[in-house]
Coordinates of all heavy atoms in Angstrom, one line a residue:
M1 N 4.3 -21.1 19.3 CA 3.8 -20.7 20.6 C 3.7 -19.2 20.7 O 4.7 -18.5 20.5 CB 4.8 -21.3 21.7 CG 4.4 -20.9 23.1 SD 5.5 -21.5 24.3 CE 5.4 -23.2 24.2
A2 N 2.5 -18.7 21.0 CA 2.3 -17.3 21.1 C 2.6 -16.8 22.5 O 2.3 -17.4 23.5 CB 0.9 -17.0 20.8
S3 N 3.2 -15.6 22.6 CA 3.5 -15.0 23.9 C 2.2 -14.3 24.4 O 1.2 -14.2 23.8 CB 4.7 -14.1 23.8 OG 4.3 -13.0 23.0
A4 N 2.4 -13.8 25.6 CA 1.2 -13.1 26.3 C 0.9 -11.8 25.5 O -0.2 -11.3 25.6 CB 1.6 -12.8 27.7
T5 N 1.9 -11.2 24.9 CA 1.6 -10.0 24.1 C 1.6 -10.2 22.6 O 2.0 -9.4 21.8 CB 2.7 -8.9 24.5 OG1 4.0 -9.4 24.1 CG2 2.6 -8.5 25.9
G6 N 1.1 -11.4 22.2 CA 1.1 -11.8 20.8 C 0.0 -11.1 20.1 O -0.6 -10.1 20.5
P7 N -0.4 -11.6 19.0 CA -1.4 -11.0 18.1 C -2.8 -10.9 18.8 O -3.6 -10.0 18.6 CB -1.5 -12.0 16.9 CG -0.4 -12.9 17.0 CD 0.2 -12.8 18.4
D8 N -3.1 -11.9 19.7 CA -4.4 -11.8 20.4 C -4.5 -10.6 21.3 O -5.5 -9.9 21.4 CB -4.6 -13.1 21.2 CG -4.8 -14.3 20.3 OD1 -5.2 -14.1 19.1 OD2 -4.4 -15.4 20.7
A9 N -3.4 -10.3 22.0 CA -3.4 -9.1 22.9 C -3.5 -7.8 22.1 O -4.2 -6.9 22.5 CB -2.2 -9.1 23.8
D10 N -2.8 -7.8 21.0 CA -2.9 -6.6 20.1 C -4.3 -6.4 19.5 O -4.8 -5.3 19.5 CB -1.8 -6.6 19.0 CG -0.4 -6.5 19.5 OD1 -0.2 -6.0 20.6 OD2 0.5 -6.9 18.8
S11 N -4.8 -7.5 19.1 CA -6.2 -7.4 18.5 C -7.2 -7.0 19.6 O -8.1 -6.2 19.3 CB -6.6 -8.8 18.0 OG -7.9 -8.8 17.5
E12 N -7.0 -7.5 20.8 CA -8.0 -7.1 21.8 C -7.8 -5.6 22.2 O -8.8 -4.9 22.4 CB -7.7 -7.9 23.1 CG -8.6 -7.6 24.2 CD -10.1 -8.0 23.9 OE1 -10.3 -9.0 23.1 OE2 -11.0 -7.4 24.5
R13 N -6.6 -5.1 22.2 CA -6.4 -3.7 22.5 C -7.0 -2.8 21.4 O -7.5 -1.8 21.6 CB -4.9 -3.4 22.6 CG -4.5 -2.7 23.9 CD -3.0 -2.5 24.0 NE -2.4 -3.8 24.1 CZ -1.2 -4.1 23.5 NH1 -0.6 -3.3 22.8 NH2 -0.7 -5.3 23.7
R14 N -6.8 -3.2 20.1 CA -7.4 -2.5 19.0 C -8.9 -2.5 19.1 O -9.6 -1.5 18.8 CB -7.0 -3.1 17.6 CG -5.6 -2.7 17.3 CD -5.3 -3.1 15.8 NE -3.9 -3.4 15.7 CZ -3.4 -4.6 15.5 NH1 -4.1 -5.6 15.4 NH2 -2.1 -4.7 15.5
N15 N -9.5 -3.6 19.4 CA -11.0 -3.7 19.6 C -11.5 -2.7 20.6 O -12.5 -2.0 20.5 CB -11.4 -5.1 19.9 CG -11.3 -6.0 18.7 OD1 -11.2 -5.5 17.5 ND2 -11.2 -7.3 18.9
V16 N -10.8 -2.6 21.8 CA -11.2 -1.7 22.8 C -11.0 -0.3 22.4 O -11.9 0.5 22.6 CB -10.3 -2.0 24.1 CG1 -10.6 -1.0 25.2 CG2 -10.6 -3.4 24.7
S17 N -9.9 0.1 21.7 CA -9.8 1.4 21.3 C -10.8 1.8 20.2 O -11.3 2.9 20.1 CB -8.4 1.7 20.8 OG -8.1 1.0 19.6
D18 N -11.1 0.8 19.3 CA -12.2 1.1 18.3 C -13.5 1.3 19.0 O -14.2 2.3 18.6 CB -12.3 -0.1 17.3 CG -11.1 -0.2 16.4 OD1 -10.4 0.8 16.2 OD2 -11.0 -1.2 15.7
A19 N -13.8 0.5 20.0 CA -15.1 0.7 20.7 C -15.1 2.1 21.4 O -16.2 2.8 21.4 CB -15.3 -0.4 21.7
A20 N -14.0 2.4 22.0 CA -14.0 3.7 22.7 C -14.1 4.9 21.7 O -14.8 5.9 22.0 CB -12.7 3.9 23.5
G21 N -13.5 4.8 20.5 CA -13.7 5.8 19.5 C -15.1 5.9 19.0 O -15.6 7.0 18.7
I22 N -15.7 4.8 18.8 CA -17.1 4.8 18.4 C -18.0 5.5 19.4 O -18.9 6.3 19.1 CB -17.6 3.3 18.1 CG1 -16.9 2.8 16.8 CG2 -19.1 3.3 18.0 CD1 -17.2 1.3 16.6
V23 N -17.8 5.2 20.7 CA -18.6 5.8 21.7 C -18.3 7.3 21.7 O -19.3 8.1 21.8 CB -18.2 5.2 23.1 CG1 -18.8 6.0 24.3 CG2 -18.7 3.8 23.2
V24 N -17.1 7.8 21.6 CA -16.8 9.2 21.6 C -17.4 9.9 20.4 O -18.1 10.9 20.5 CB -15.3 9.4 21.6 CG1 -14.9 10.9 21.4 CG2 -14.7 9.0 23.0
L25 N -17.3 9.3 19.2 CA -17.9 9.9 18.0 C -19.4 9.9 18.1 O -20.0 10.9 17.7 CB -17.4 9.2 16.8 CG -15.9 9.5 16.3 CD1 -15.5 8.6 15.2 CD2 -15.8 10.9 16.0
G26 N -20.0 8.8 18.6 CA -21.4 8.8 18.7 C -21.9 9.8 19.7 O -22.9 10.4 19.5
S27 N -21.1 10.0 20.8 CA -21.5 11.0 21.8 C -21.4 12.4 21.2 O -22.3 13.3 21.5 CB -20.6 10.9 23.0 OG -20.7 9.7 23.6
C28 N -20.4 12.7 20.4 CA -20.3 14.0 19.8 C -21.5 14.2 18.8 O -22.0 15.3 18.8 CB -19.0 14.1 19.0 SG -17.5 14.2 20.0
A29 N -21.8 13.2 18.0 CA -23.0 13.4 17.1 C -24.3 13.6 17.9 O -25.1 14.5 17.5 CB -23.1 12.2 16.2
A30 N -24.5 12.8 19.0 CA -25.7 13.0 19.8 C -25.7 14.3 20.4 O -26.8 15.0 20.5 CB -25.7 11.9 20.8
W31 N -24.6 14.8 20.9 CA -24.5 16.1 21.6 C -24.9 17.2 20.6 O -25.6 18.2 20.9 CB -23.2 16.4 22.2 CG -23.1 17.7 22.9 CD1 -22.5 18.8 22.4 CD2 -23.6 18.0 24.1 NE1 -22.6 19.8 23.3 CE2 -23.3 19.4 24.4 CE3 -24.4 17.3 25.1 CZ2 -23.7 20.0 25.6 CZ3 -24.8 17.9 26.2 CH2 -24.4 19.3 26.5
A32 N -24.4 17.1 19.3 CA -24.7 18.1 18.3 C -26.2 18.1 18.0 O -26.8 19.2 17.9 CB -23.9 17.8 17.0
L33 N -26.8 16.9 17.9 CA -28.2 16.8 17.6 C -29.1 17.4 18.8 O -30.1 18.1 18.6 CB -28.6 15.4 17.3 CG -28.1 14.9 16.0 CD1 -28.4 13.4 15.9 CD2 -28.7 15.6 14.8
I34 N -28.7 17.0 20.0 CA -29.4 17.5 21.2 C -29.4 19.0 21.4 O -30.4 19.7 21.6 CB -28.9 16.8 22.5 CG1 -29.3 15.3 22.4 CG2 -29.4 17.4 23.7 CD1 -28.6 14.5 23.5
T35 N -28.1 19.6 21.2 CA -28.0 21.0 21.4 C -28.7 21.8 20.3 O -29.3 22.8 20.5 CB -26.6 21.4 21.5 OG1 -25.9 21.0 20.4 CG2 -25.9 20.9 22.8
A36 N -28.7 21.2 19.1 CA -29.4 21.9 18.0 C -30.9 21.8 18.2 O -31.6 22.8 17.8 CB -29.0 21.2 16.6
A37 N -31.4 20.7 18.7 CA -32.8 20.6 19.0 C -33.3 21.6 20.1 O -34.4 22.1 20.0 CB -33.2 19.2 19.3
M38 N -32.4 21.7 21.1 CA -32.8 22.6 22.2 C -32.8 24.1 21.8 O -33.5 24.9 22.4 CB -31.8 22.4 23.4 CG -31.9 21.0 23.9 SD -33.4 20.5 24.7 CE -33.3 21.4 26.2
H39 N -31.9 24.5 20.9 CA -31.7 25.9 20.6 C -32.2 26.2 19.1 O -31.8 27.2 18.6 CB -30.3 26.3 20.7 CG -29.8 26.1 22.1 ND1 -30.1 26.9 23.2 CD2 -28.9 25.2 22.6 CE1 -29.5 26.5 24.3 NE2 -28.8 25.4 24.0
D40 N -32.9 25.3 18.5 CA -33.4 25.5 17.1 C -32.2 25.8 16.2 O -32.3 26.7 15.3 CB -34.4 26.7 17.1 CG -35.7 26.3 17.8 OD1 -36.0 25.1 17.8 OD2 -36.4 27.2 18.3
G41 N -31.2 25.1 16.3 CA -30.0 25.3 15.5 C -29.9 24.3 14.4 O -30.8 23.5 14.1
R42 N -28.8 24.4 13.7 CA -28.5 23.5 12.6 C -27.2 22.7 12.8 O -26.2 23.3 12.8 CB -28.4 24.3 11.3 CG -29.7 25.1 11.0 CD -29.7 25.8 9.7 NE -29.6 24.9 8.6 CZ -29.4 25.2 7.4 NH1 -29.3 26.5 7.1 NH2 -29.3 24.3 6.4
P43 N -27.3 21.4 13.0 CA -26.1 20.7 13.4 C -25.3 20.1 12.3 O -24.4 19.3 12.5 CB -26.8 19.5 14.2 CG -28.0 19.2 13.5 CD -28.5 20.6 13.1
E44 N -25.6 20.6 11.0 CA -24.9 20.0 9.9 C -23.4 20.1 9.9 O -22.7 19.2 9.6 CB -25.5 20.6 8.6 CG -26.9 20.2 8.2 CD -27.9 21.1 8.9 OE1 -27.4 22.2 9.5 OE2 -29.1 20.9 8.8
G45 N -22.9 21.3 10.3 CA -21.5 21.5 10.4 C -20.8 20.5 11.3 O -19.7 20.0 11.0
V46 N -21.3 20.4 12.5 CA -20.7 19.5 13.5 C -20.8 18.1 13.0 O -19.9 17.3 13.2 CB -21.3 19.7 14.9 CG1 -20.8 18.7 15.9 CG2 -21.1 21.1 15.4
L47 N -21.9 17.7 12.5 CA -22.1 16.3 12.0 C -21.1 16.0 10.9 O -20.6 14.9 10.8 CB -23.5 16.0 11.6 CG -24.5 16.1 12.8 CD1 -26.0 15.9 12.3 CD2 -24.2 15.0 13.8
L48 N -20.9 17.0 10.0 CA -20.0 16.8 8.9 C -18.5 16.6 9.5 O -17.7 15.9 9.0 CB -20.0 17.9 7.9 CG -21.2 17.8 7.0 CD1 -21.3 19.1 6.1 CD2 -21.1 16.6 6.1
A49 N -18.2 17.4 10.5 CA -16.9 17.3 11.1 C -16.7 15.9 11.8 O -15.7 15.3 11.7 CB -16.7 18.4 12.2
V50 N -17.8 15.4 12.5 CA -17.7 14.1 13.1 C -17.5 13.0 12.0 O -16.7 12.1 12.1 CB -19.0 13.8 13.9 CG1 -19.0 12.4 14.3 CG2 -19.0 14.7 15.1
L51 N -18.3 13.2 10.9 CA -18.1 12.3 9.8 C -16.7 12.3 9.1 O -16.2 11.3 8.8 CB -19.2 12.6 8.7 CG -19.2 11.7 7.4 CD1 -19.5 10.3 7.8 CD2 -20.2 12.2 6.4
A52 N -16.2 13.5 9.0 CA -14.8 13.6 8.5 C -13.8 13.0 9.4 O -12.8 12.3 8.9 CB -14.4 15.1 8.3
V53 N -13.9 13.1 10.7 CA -13.0 12.4 11.6 C -13.1 10.9 11.5 O -12.1 10.2 11.5 CB -13.3 12.9 13.1 CG1 -12.5 12.1 14.1 CG2 -12.9 14.4 13.2
A54 N -14.4 10.4 11.5 CA -14.6 9.0 11.3 C -14.0 8.5 10.0 O -13.4 7.4 10.0 CB -16.1 8.7 11.4
A55 N -14.2 9.2 8.9 CA -13.6 8.8 7.6 C -12.1 8.8 7.6 O -11.5 7.9 7.1 CB -14.2 9.7 6.5
G56 N -11.5 9.8 8.3 CA -10.1 9.9 8.4 C -9.5 8.7 9.2 O -8.5 8.1 8.8
Y57 N -10.2 8.4 10.3 CA -9.7 7.3 11.1 C -9.9 5.9 10.3 O -8.9 5.1 10.4 CB -10.6 7.2 12.4 CG -10.2 6.1 13.3 CD1 -9.1 6.1 14.1 CD2 -11.0 4.9 13.4 CE1 -8.7 5.1 14.9 CE2 -10.6 3.9 14.2 CZ -9.5 4.0 15.0 OH -9.1 2.9 15.8
A58 N -11.0 5.8 9.6 CA -11.2 4.5 8.9 C -10.2 4.4 7.8 O -9.6 3.3 7.5 CB -12.6 4.5 8.3
S59 N -9.9 5.5 7.0 CA -8.9 5.4 5.9 C -7.5 5.2 6.5 O -6.7 4.5 5.9 CB -9.0 6.6 5.1 OG -8.6 7.8 5.8
G60 N -7.2 5.7 7.7 CA -5.9 5.5 8.3 C -5.8 4.0 8.7 O -4.7 3.4 8.5
R61 N -6.8 3.4 9.2 CA -6.7 2.0 9.6 C -6.6 1.1 8.4 O -5.8 0.2 8.4 CB -8.0 1.6 10.3 CG -8.2 2.1 11.7 CD -7.1 1.5 12.7 NE -7.2 0.1 12.7 CZ -7.8 -0.7 13.6 NH1 -8.5 -0.1 14.5 NH2 -7.7 -2.0 13.6
I62 N -7.3 1.5 7.3 CA -7.2 0.7 6.1 C -5.8 0.8 5.4 O -5.2 -0.2 5.0 CB -8.3 1.1 5.1 CG1 -9.7 0.7 5.6 CG2 -8.1 0.5 3.7 CD1 -10.8 1.3 4.9
S63 N -5.3 2.0 5.4 CA -4.0 2.3 4.8 C -2.9 1.6 5.6 O -2.0 1.0 5.1 CB -3.7 3.8 4.7 OG -4.6 4.4 3.9
G64 N -3.1 1.6 7.0 CA -2.1 1.0 7.8 C -2.1 -0.5 7.6 O -1.0 -1.2 7.8
A65 N -3.2 -1.1 7.3 CA -3.3 -2.6 7.1 C -2.7 -2.9 5.7 O -2.2 -4.0 5.5 CB -4.7 -3.0 7.2
L66 N -2.8 -2.0 4.8 CA -2.3 -2.3 3.4 C -0.8 -2.0 3.2 O -0.2 -2.4 2.2 CB -3.1 -1.5 2.4 CG -4.6 -1.9 2.3 CD1 -5.3 -1.0 1.3 CD2 -4.7 -3.4 1.9
V67 N -0.2 -1.2 4.1 CA 1.2 -0.8 3.9 C 2.2 -2.0 3.8 O 3.0 -2.0 2.9 CB 1.6 0.2 5.0 CG1 3.1 0.4 5.1 CG2 1.0 1.6 4.7
P68 N 2.0 -3.0 4.6 CA 3.0 -4.1 4.5 C 2.9 -4.8 3.2 O 3.8 -5.5 2.7 CB 2.5 -5.1 5.6 CG 1.9 -4.2 6.6 CD 1.2 -3.1 5.8
V69 N 1.8 -4.7 2.5 CA 1.6 -5.4 1.2 C 2.0 -4.4 0.1 O 2.6 -4.7 -0.9 CB 0.2 -5.9 1.0 CG1 0.0 -6.4 -0.4 CG2 -0.1 -6.9 2.0
A70 N 1.6 -3.1 0.2 CA 1.7 -2.1 -0.8 C 3.2 -1.7 -1.0 O 3.6 -1.4 -2.1 CB 0.9 -0.9 -0.5
A71 N 4.0 -1.6 0.1 CA 5.3 -1.1 0.0 C 6.2 -2.0 -0.9 O 6.9 -1.5 -1.8 CB 5.9 -1.0 1.4
P72 N 6.2 -3.3 -0.7 CA 7.0 -4.2 -1.6 C 6.5 -4.1 -3.0 O 7.3 -4.2 -4.0 CB 6.9 -5.6 -1.0 CG 6.5 -5.4 0.4 CD 5.7 -4.1 0.4
C73 N 5.2 -4.0 -3.2 CA 4.7 -3.9 -4.6 C 5.1 -2.6 -5.3 O 5.5 -2.6 -6.5 CB 3.1 -3.9 -4.6 SG 2.5 -5.5 -4.1
V74 N 5.2 -1.5 -4.5 CA 5.6 -0.3 -5.1 C 7.1 -0.4 -5.5 O 7.6 0.1 -6.5 CB 5.4 0.9 -4.1 CG1 6.1 2.2 -4.6 CG2 3.9 1.2 -4.0
G75 N 7.9 -1.0 -4.6 CA 9.3 -1.2 -4.9 C 9.6 -2.1 -6.1 O 10.4 -1.8 -6.9
A76 N 8.8 -3.1 -6.2 CA 8.9 -4.0 -7.4 C 8.5 -3.3 -8.7 O 9.2 -3.5 -9.7 CB 8.0 -5.2 -7.2
L77 N 7.4 -2.5 -8.6 CA 7.0 -1.7 -9.8 C 8.1 -0.7 -10.2 O 8.3 -0.4 -11.4 CB 5.7 -1.1 -9.6 CG 4.5 -2.0 -9.6 CD1 3.2 -1.3 -9.2 CD2 4.4 -2.7 -11.0
A78 N 8.7 -0.1 -9.2 CA 9.8 0.9 -9.4 C 11.0 0.2 -10.1 O 11.5 0.7 -11.1 CB 10.2 1.6 -8.2
G79 N 11.3 -1.0 -9.6 CA 12.4 -1.7 -10.2 C 12.1 -2.1 -11.6 O 13.0 -2.0 -12.5
L80 N 10.9 -2.6 -11.9 CA 10.5 -2.9 -13.2 C 10.5 -1.7 -14.2 O 11.0 -1.8 -15.3 CB 9.1 -3.5 -13.2 CG 8.5 -4.0 -14.5 CD1 9.3 -5.1 -15.2 CD2 7.1 -4.4 -14.4
G81 N 10.0 -0.6 -13.6 CA 10.0 0.6 -14.5 C 11.5 1.1 -14.8 O 11.7 1.5 -15.9
L82 N 12.4 1.0 -13.8 CA 13.7 1.3 -14.1 C 14.4 0.3 -15.1 O 15.1 0.7 -16.0 CB 14.6 1.3 -12.8 CG 14.3 2.5 -11.9 CD1 15.1 2.2 -10.6 CD2 14.7 3.8 -12.5
A83 N 14.1 -0.9 -15.0 CA 14.6 -1.9 -16.0 C 14.1 -1.7 -17.4 O 14.8 -1.9 -18.4 CB 14.3 -3.3 -15.5
L84 N 12.8 -1.3 -17.5 CA 12.3 -1.1 -18.8 C 12.7 0.3 -19.4 O 12.8 0.4 -20.6 CB 10.7 -1.1 -18.7 CG 10.1 -2.5 -18.4 CD1 8.6 -2.4 -18.3 CD2 10.5 -3.5 -19.5
A85 N 12.9 1.2 -18.5 CA 13.3 2.6 -19.0 C 14.8 2.6 -19.5 O 15.1 3.4 -20.4 CB 13.1 3.6 -17.9
E86 N 15.6 1.8 -18.9 CA 17.0 1.8 -19.3 C 17.4 0.4 -19.8 O 17.8 -0.5 -19.0 CB 17.9 2.2 -18.1 CG 19.4 2.3 -18.4 CD 19.6 3.4 -19.5 OE1 19.1 4.5 -19.4 OE2 20.5 3.1 -20.3
P87 N 17.3 0.1 -21.1 CA 17.5 -1.3 -21.6 C 18.9 -1.7 -21.5 O 19.2 -2.9 -21.5 CB 17.0 -1.2 -23.0 CG 17.0 0.2 -23.4 CD 16.8 1.0 -22.1
H88 N 19.9 -0.8 -21.5 CA 21.3 -1.2 -21.5 C 21.9 -1.2 -20.1 O 23.1 -1.1 -19.8 CB 22.1 -0.2 -22.3 CG 21.7 -0.2 -23.7 ND1 21.8 -1.2 -24.6 CD2 21.0 0.8 -24.4 CE1 21.3 -0.9 -25.8 NE2 20.8 0.3 -25.7
L89 N 21.0 -1.3 -19.1 CA 21.4 -1.3 -17.7 C 22.0 -2.6 -17.2 O 22.9 -2.6 -16.4 CB 20.2 -0.9 -16.8 CG 20.5 -0.7 -15.3 CD1 21.3 0.5 -15.1 CD2 19.2 -0.5 -14.6
A90 N 21.6 -3.7 -17.8 CA 22.0 -5.0 -17.4 C 23.5 -5.2 -17.9 O 23.9 -4.8 -19.0 CB 21.1 -6.1 -18.0
P91 N 24.3 -5.9 -17.0 CA 25.7 -6.2 -17.4 C 25.7 -7.3 -18.5 O 24.8 -8.1 -18.6 CB 26.3 -6.6 -16.1 CG 25.2 -7.2 -15.3 CD 24.0 -6.4 -15.7
G92 N 26.7 -7.3 -19.3 CA 26.9 -8.3 -20.3 C 27.4 -7.6 -21.6 O 27.6 -6.4 -21.7
P93 N 27.6 -8.5 -22.6 CA 28.1 -8.0 -23.9 C 27.0 -7.1 -24.5 O 25.8 -7.3 -24.4 CB 28.3 -9.2 -24.7 CG 27.5 -10.3 -24.1 CD 27.4 -9.9 -22.6
Q94 N 27.5 -6.1 -25.2 CA 26.6 -5.1 -25.9 C 26.3 -5.6 -27.2 O 27.0 -6.1 -28.0 CB 27.3 -3.7 -26.0 CG 27.5 -3.1 -24.6 CD 26.2 -2.7 -23.9 OE1 25.2 -2.4 -24.6 NE2 26.2 -2.7 -22.6

């Protein structure tokens, strides 16, 4: 039984914040293009900054989704590395 603040509510909140972020980044990119067109400027720097923010946000979301899986895998690999690096670590007769 899911509660009122279960996965559906969290998913809905993330979708709303993602949509708001897209609107803000799109507005920034449009503003850079409009002001550059009005003043015969070059908007490449601002557009690259908007692209960098979007890429950082996307990589953060992807990394955040992978952390619950990646952390135990890293721990298991560290344990395996320690076991292979020190063969006399296990208790028992030599």
Side-chain angles (χ1 to χ4, degrees):
M1 178 182 294
S3 66
T5 60
D8 294 331
D10 290 339
S11 177
E12 183 65 30
R13 236 177 293 139
R14 281 190 211 111
N15 288 340
V16 170
S17 67
D18 286 346
I22 289 170
V23 168
V24 169
L25 286 174
S27 299
C28 290
W31 182 256
L33 291 173
I34 290 168
T35 55
M38 298 294 282
H39 301 288
D40 294 329
R42 299 183 64 185
E44 291 88 5
V46 175
L47 292 176
L48 283 174
V50 170
L51 180 63
V53 169
Y57 180 75
S59 64
R61 288 292 304 264
I62 291 168
S63 298
L66 294 178
V67 164
V69 175
C73 289
V74 168
L77 287 174
L80 179 64
L82 287 173
L84 292 175
E86 185 61 44
H88 302 294
L89 185 65
Q94 295 292 332

